[in-house]
Amino acid sequence: MRTTAVVVGAGHAGLAMSWWLAARSIDHVVLERGEVANTWRTERWASLTLLTPNWQSRLPGFGYEGGDPDGFRTLPETIAFIERYAKTVSPPLRTHCPVTSVRRSADGYEVVTAQATWHCKAVVLATGAFNVAQLPAVAAALPPGIAQLTTVQYRSPASLEKGGVMVVGAAASGVQIADEIQRSGGSVTLAVGEHVRACRTYRGRDLQWWMDATGLNDERYDQVENLRRARSLASFQLAGYADRRDVDLNALTSLGVKLTGRLAGIQNGKAQFSGSLRNLCELADLKLNRLLNVIDEWAAEHRVRGAVDPPHRPEPTRVDASPPLGLDFGRSGIRTIIWATGFRPDYSWLDLPVLDYKGNIRHDGGVVTEAPGLYVLGLPFLRRRKSSLIDGAGEDARDLSAHLVAYLGAQSTAID
Ligand SMILES: Cc1cc2nc3c(=O)[nH]c(=O)nc-3n(C[C@H](O)[C@H](O)[C@H](O)COP(=O)(O)OP(=O)(O)OC[C@H]3O[C@@H](n4cnc5c(N)ncnc54)[C@H](O)[C@@H]3O)c2cc1C
């Protein structure tokens, strides 16, 4: 089969790319291993709500038109939203079509699926950033009898073994799951590493409103000081609940969640925690305050419509004078560990020498320069701070589709 471009993946990013390719009259096909929005259907817990408000899921040709722009979509609503977007884009889509290999050919690429091999000039990888849960090496040393699962496998408090739960990792997924289990009557210990503290609202506005208005979400990959670090930062400690409550460490300790430092080791049935909890919390407080300073400066410079409360600072994170450095799994009653320690993309099916030693793709703002005609979408800080959010896919797809068109043009000129 021949086409000009193959897009792999029909999440919102692949669909946004299809919209732009169609707008630029590029013949293409979208190949999806499952259904549209497959990741949301198969890899998320039941109660998940988006942490971005409804107005913020803007996609090319598609905005929010409902009556609750400041609300947060539930998981079924998110799936329905992406399905509606697919209907709007109406892409040339093949579902249940896993791509098993992408390799070079004489005049471009071969994209292999069980049904057919596609020959094309360009390939866009829109297969997501969060495919494989990253477990720390200590996971291998867990004593028998302790159930362990990742955030991809977690579904609800009711699906857990009876007994205490240790959540490892305090980014968005970890704090949301800790909040849910503790509120359901569970007993949660949260092992906290480096984290990014956030507040749901500030001065009467949603934090994402400020991130959008100040331009912080639009900050470009070629403007940021330390791109490697920016790309590896944990997600904000945020949740999208109707009561707009915070899920930072103070909110969790008020519920009764016990905090420890980073899980550093497991030996003879005992967990060992690093002693850096206080420092990490101070650092996170400092960074949140810096972000709020930027917001205040921007608010002072610009006319902000509507009432905006005066500046204020959140209470510093409360940390016990001497948080525990060890914990005996047997005595503590902990029966389950949930690893909320991040993800990495899965490119095991990519037969091209474009991965670094960690399995990450080498790219320049989504352009894989070592493989001309190959592009990637949807990764953290790909081209902008918002790149891995639904809201970021449209502009990234616009830029990369323009690059793709220029590449095809240069190729045909070279052949002429
Ligand atoms: C827990 C969690 C919560 C999030 N919350 C928010 C939020 O509140 N707001 C927000 O804006 N963003 C959020 N995100 C980030 C982001 O929007 C999602 O990760 C989103 O799913 C990424 O979209 P995508 O299209 O890039 O990738 P995905 O939605 O993961 O889509 C990739 C598609 O590629 C397919 N695929 C993969 N490999 C192959 C293959 N070999 N062959 C064919 N098809 C393949 C998959 O089946 C999938 O359908 C969240 C992410 C996570 C993990």
Side-chain angles (χ1 to χ4, degrees), residues 207-271:
L207 184 67
Q208 289 295 350
W209 184 90
W210 290 111
M211 295 295 293
D212 190 59
T214 53
L216 283 168
N217 269 349
D218 294 308
E219 199 176 353
R220 286 178 54 93
Y221 77 110
D222 45 8
Q223 290 171 338
V224 72
E225 228 170 70
N226 186 343
L227 181 59
R228 186 189 289 261
R229 179 152 171 77
R231 283 182 170 159
S232 64
L233 271 186
S235 51
F236 276 147
Q237 286 176 336
L238 270 188
Y241 299 134
D243 61 5
R244 309 194 90 80
R245 67 178 182 267
D246 284 332
V247 283
D248 64 4
L249 300 182
N250 281 352
L252 293 179
T253 43
S254 297
L255 287 177
V257 171
K258 295 175 273 303
L259 303 185
T260 72
R262 190 174 58 81
L263 179 62
I266 299 177
Q267 243 181 7
N268 307 325
K270 288 186 183 146

Side-chain angles (χ1 to χ4, degrees), residues 76 103 137 164 169 230 365 378:
R103 52 189 184 233

Side-chain angles (χ1 to χ4, degrees), residues 8-14 31-35 37-40 44-45 48-52 97-99 126-128 130 173 343 349 377-378 388-391:
V8 190
H12 71 264
L31 305 179
E32 165 56 52
R33 67 180 167 191
E35 298 280 339
N38 187 53
T39 308
W40 297 100
R44 303 281 184 265
W45 62 95
L48 183 136
T49 49
L50 290 191
L51 53 75
T52 44
C97 189
V99 171
T127 47
F130 310 113
S173 298
F343 301 90
W349 42 275
L377 255 185
S388 63
L389 295 180
I390 294 170
D391 201 41

Side-chain angles (χ1 to χ4, degrees), residues 7-16 30-40 42-45 48-53 56-57 72-73 78 81-82 94 96-102 111-113 125-131 151-152 172-173 176-177 200 208 235 238-240 343 346-350 377-379 386-393:
V7 178
V8 190
H12 71 264
L15 296 170
V30 179
L31 305 179
E32 165 56 52
R33 67 180 167 191
E35 298 280 339
V36 163
N38 187 53
T39 308
W40 297 100
T42 59
E43 297 180 8
R44 303 281 184 265
W45 62 95
L48 183 136
T49 49
L50 290 191
L51 53 75
T52 44
Q56 204 185 8
S57 297
F72 303 97
R73 287 190 177 92
T78 305
F81 157 72
I82 296 175
R94 306 283 169 109
H96 302 285
C97 189
V99 171
T100 53
S101 172
V102 176
V111 180
V112 181
T113 73
L125 308 175
T127 47
F130 310 113
N131 310 116
T151 55
V152 170
S173 298
Q176 288 176 28
I177 290 171
R200 183 71 267 177
Q208 289 295 350
S235 51
L238 270 188
F343 301 90
D346 174 19
Y347 297 123
S348 54
W349 42 275
L350 200 58
L377 255 185
L379 304 184
K386 64 183 179 187
S387 283
S388 63
L389 295 180
I390 294 170
D391 201 41

